[in-house]
Amino acid sequence: MAADFRTPDRLLPAAAEDPTTPQGHPPNPVLSTPAVPDATHDGLRFWQYMLAGSVAGVVEHTAMFPVDTLKTHMQASMPPCRPALSLRAVLRNAVASEGGALSLYRGLPAMALGAGPAHAVYFSVYEFAKSALTDRLGPNNPAAHAASGVVATVASDAVFTPMDTVKQRLQLTSSPYTGVGHCIRTVLRDEGPGAFFVSYRTTVVMNAPYTAVHFATYEAAKRMLGDMAADEESLAVHATAGAAAGALAAAVTTPFDVVKTQLQCQGVCGCERFSSSSIGDVFRTIIKRDGYSGLMRGWKPRMLFHAPAAAICWSTYEASKSFFERFNEERRK
C-alpha cells in the first residue's frame, strides 16, 4: 500500500469503541499515536521533513556536480564563431583548460549554500501540500502529487535561484570570479540585486512542469514497483522510481533549462547578453541563432544528471525520514 505522508497532528485516530469501557462513559482520549502499519512515514515533525530534504538535496547535488558543470558548459551561449561542442569535447576542454578534474567542482560551495535550504523548503512544502490535497482528492491521486510538486517548486526556487546563478557563473570555463563571495560582490556592484533573480520566472516555468512530471511519475512508479517488490518502501524501489521520474522530467523540460542557463550566464566569458529577460524573446533568439536543436543543447548530461540524482535524492530523503521515524518511536517509549 502506498505510504501516507500526513502529518502527526492530523493522524491522531479517533478512539475506537472498547467493549471493556463501562456503558455511558466516554473512552479515554488518545494521547499518543499507536503503531499504524499502513502509515509508514507518519509521525514526523516539520523540522524533520526540512532536515531530511536538506540532507537529500546536498547529497544529490554534490554527487552529481561534475555532470551539472558539463551541462552548463554545453548550454551557455558562446560567441557565434565558436561551434557547439559535444559532451566528450566539453569534458576534455574543461579538464584540460581549467587545471584538471577539480575544475568540474567549481561552484560547489554556492550549490551547497543554496541546495540545503531550498530542498528543505521543497520537501516540507511538498509533504504538507500533499497531505492537504489527498484529503480532498483521495489517496494515490496523480493530480494531488503533481499540484503538490508545483507548489513546492515555486517556494524552493525563490530560495535557490540566487545561489544557482552564482554556481552557473563559477562553472563557466575561464570564469572571472575567484569564489562565491567575489561573484556575489561583483554581480551586486555591476548588475544589481535583480541579476540574481533574472532567471526566476524561467526557472519556475521550467520546474513547474518538471516537478509535476517528476512527482506524478515517481509516485506511480513506486506503486507499480511496490506491487512487484516485497517492500514498497525499500531503498531499491525509491531509487528506481526516482531515476525514472528524473530522466523523464529532465528530457521534457530541457528547452527551459537552456533558457535559464543562458539568462544566468549572459555577459560572462563571452556569453551573449539579452536585451530582455522575456522567455519568449530568449527562445526566439536561440532558435534564430542555433536552430531548434539549440533548445535541446545539453540534454544528454541533463538526463545523465537527473536520473541518478533523483535516485540518490529520493533514497537519501526516504532513509532520513525512516531514521526520524525510529528516533520518534524511541522517544515515545
Side-chain angles (χ1 to χ4, degrees), residues 112-139:
L113 288 172
H119 277 71
V121 172
Y122 185 80
F123 280 106
S124 58
V125 171
Y126 173 73
E127 296 287 7
F128 283 87
K130 177 182 173 182
S131 172
L133 290 174
T134 51
D135 280 352
R136 292 169 174 78
L137 302 177

Side-chain angles (χ1 to χ4, degrees), residues 75-80 258 262 272 274 282-291 294 297:
Q75 290 182 339
S77 172
M78 294 300 163
V258 173
Q262 296 199 14
E272 181 177 350
F274 299 97
V282 178
F283 263 115
R284 285 188 289 272
T285 300
I286 294 172
I287 293 171
K288 182 178 180 180
R289 185 188 63 222
D290 303 323
R297 184 181 295 175

Side-chain angles (χ1 to χ4, degrees), residues 71-84:
K71 177 195 71 80
T72 298
H73 285 197
M74 292 185 72
Q75 290 182 339
S77 172
M78 294 300 163
C81 59
R82 291 175 58 181

Side-chain angles (χ1 to χ4, degrees), residues 37-284:
D38 292 338
T40 56
H41 289 290
D42 293 336
L44 269 68
R45 304 299 177 189
F46 186 76
W47 68 268
Q48 292 173 328
Y49 282 123
M50 296 188 73
L51 185 56
S54 180
V55 170
V58 172
V59 170
E60 166 201 359
H61 284 277
T62 301
M64 300 305 300
F65 195 81
V67 182
D68 185 62
T69 298
L70 297 178
K71 177 195 71 80
T72 298
H73 285 197
M74 292 185 72
Q75 290 182 339
S77 172
M78 294 300 163
C81 59
R82 291 175 58 181
L85 298 177
S86 66
L87 178 58
R88 181 178 299 179
V90 165
L91 175 60
R92 186 169 54 248
N93 287 1
V95 173
S97 62
E98 295 285 323
L102 287 179
S103 65
L104 298 176
Y105 287 91
R106 280 179 57 93
L108 184 61
M111 179 282 302
L113 288 172
H119 277 71
V121 172
Y122 185 80
F123 280 106
S124 58
V125 171
Y126 173 73
E127 296 287 7
F128 283 87
K130 177 182 173 182
S131 172
L133 290 174
T134 51
D135 280 352
R136 292 169 174 78
L137 302 177
N140 301 328
N141 188 304
H145 300 152
S148 300
V150 171
V151 172
T153 198
V154 171
S156 66
D157 284 343
V159 177
F160 189 59
T161 296
M163 282 297 104
D164 189 43
T165 299
V166 173
K167 171 190 75 72
Q168 300 256 62
R169 293 188 177 208
L170 289 170
Q171 286 176 322
L172 293 173
T173 303
S174 303
S175 174
Y177 309 108
T178 58
V180 175
H182 179 238
C183 181
I184 293 174
R185 290 192 301 271
T186 304
V187 172
L188 284 173
R189 184 191 65 215
D190 296 344
E191 304 175 50
F196 293 109
F197 290 94
V198 70
S199 67
Y200 176 67
R201 181 172 52 184
T202 306
T203 302
V204 170
V205 170
M206 173 188 71
N207 281 343
Y210 174 90
T211 309
V213 173
H214 184 110
F215 277 105
T217 304
Y218 172 75
E219 297 286 357
K222 190 175 74 168
R223 288 197 306 274
M224 181 183 69
L225 293 168
D227 291 339
M228 297 184 290
D231 180 11
E232 181 184 302
E233 299 304 324
S234 69
L235 290 184
V237 169
H238 290 303
T240 305
L248 179 60
V252 170
T253 57
T254 292
F256 289 105
D257 193 53
V258 173
V259 172
K260 176 184 74 73
T261 298
Q262 296 199 14
L263 281 172
Q264 290 178 333
C265 297
Q266 59 182 320
V268 182
C269 297
C271 295
E272 181 177 350
R273 181 172 290 280
F274 299 97
S275 58
S276 167
S277 61
S278 165
I279 299 173
D281 289 346
V282 178
F283 263 115
R284 285 188 289 272

Side-chain angles (χ1 to χ4, degrees), residues 15 26 243 301 303 323:
M303 289 187 69
F323 167 79

Side-chain angles (χ1 to χ4, degrees), residues 4-23:
D4 185 339
F5 293 91
R6 289 180 293 173
T7 56
D9 293 338
R10 305 177 62 179
L11 285 168
L12 296 178
E17 293 187 8
D18 188 344
T20 63
T21 302
Q23 185 69 25

Side-chain angles (χ1 to χ4, degrees), residues 32-33 35 325-333:
S32 62
T33 306
E325 274 187 44
R326 294 191 297 271
F327 174 79
N328 292 344
E329 197 66 37
E330 288 296 324
R331 291 191 62 185
R332 284 196 291 266
K333 290 181 179 178

